[in-house]
Amino acid sequence: GGEIAYLVDGLPVNDRLVGGRLGMQIQMTEVREMEIITGGFGADYGEAQSGVVNLVTRDGTTAPSAEVLYKTDNYGYSYPGSTNYDYSSLALSGPEPLTASILPSLGLRLPGRLTYFLSGYGEFTDTHLSMGLSYPPHHTLGMTLRDRQENRYGGTGKLKYQITEAQSLTLAYRKGAER
């Protein structure tokens, strides 16, 4: 397991402390393509000896789009095996509005195409083991939200400037937290 190279958009992201695992969480709404190489790869993959897993994340789209996902095991009543689990994610994509709408209305044209992809998620559960933990509530937009025993959240932003068919420049940022 410690001999597998994990790549996200071609960049290595192995967890160096534990060894051999993916060093970050990638949400399914962010993945465009997954490539698995099990043998016959060259030295360009560095320390990989058993395999290479390359995740390619989504780029922005030419038309605006949105995706919302919500999963829960809380149906208003408690049942055996319930962990008070909630997962939600949001993904937004489309042409970048400044260069797509505002600049052309002023008579300015940027060559090429600029698109964005934004994604955020939150995963909250009390797990199957009661640890008796209690966190102070958060008050946001008139709602009271409480952290649970295990809380993960994060987001991704990606801006892609497609200069020509063969040339592009991408700026990406990813942040995640666990509590």
Side-chain angles (χ1 to χ4, degrees), residues 31-87:
V31 176
R32 176 174 52 112
E33 178 182 332
M34 183 172 80
E35 177 185 23
I36 299 174
I37 304 171
T38 58
F41 41 88
D44 50 337
Y45 290 110
E47 300 172 1
Q49 294 178 23
S50 296
V52 177
V53 177
N54 185 20
L55 297 172
V56 179
T57 60
R58 291 171 48 185
D59 293 325
T61 55
T62 55
S65 70
E67 291 179 37
V68 176
L69 175 65
Y70 178 72
K71 297 189 263 185
T72 186
D73 72 349
N74 185 357
Y75 301 105
Y77 59 91
S78 182
Y79 59 90
S82 172
T83 61
N84 195 21
Y85 176 85
D86 288 306
Y87 174 87

Side-chain angles (χ1 to χ4, degrees), residues 2 9 27 50 57 59-60 62 92 136 145 153 155 160 171 175-176:
D9 293 330
Q27 301 308 302
S50 296
T57 60
D59 293 325
T62 55
L92 302 172
L145 304 171
Y153 32 86
K160 182 175 183 179
L171 176 66
K175 177 72 175 170

Side-chain angles (χ1 to χ4, degrees), residues 26-32 58 67-69 87 89-91 117-121:
I26 306 292
Q27 301 308 302
M28 289 306 298
T29 56
E30 299 175 35
V31 176
R32 176 174 52 112
R58 291 171 48 185
E67 291 179 37
V68 176
L69 175 65
Y87 174 87
S89 70
L90 171 68
F117 177 76
L118 298 171
S119 176
Y121 72 94

Side-chain angles (χ1 to χ4, degrees), residues 109-166:
R109 286 241 175 249
L110 183 68
R113 182 177 63 234
L114 191 61
T115 58
Y116 74 91
F117 177 76
L118 298 171
S119 176
Y121 72 94
E123 183 176 20
F124 309 97
T125 181
D126 282 331
T127 72
H128 63 281
L129 299 173
S130 177
M131 294 189 281
L133 298 175
S134 177
Y135 295 108
H138 306 283
H139 302 287
T140 306
L141 302 173
M143 298 183 296
T144 300
L145 304 171
R146 290 190 183 278
D147 279 342
R148 303 201 186 132
Q149 290 183 124
E150 191 172 288
N151 308 283
R152 292 187 186 109
Y153 32 86
T156 296
K158 193 171 184 181
L159 195 61
K160 182 175 183 179
Y161 180 37
Q162 189 73 42
I163 304 163
T164 65
E165 276 303 310

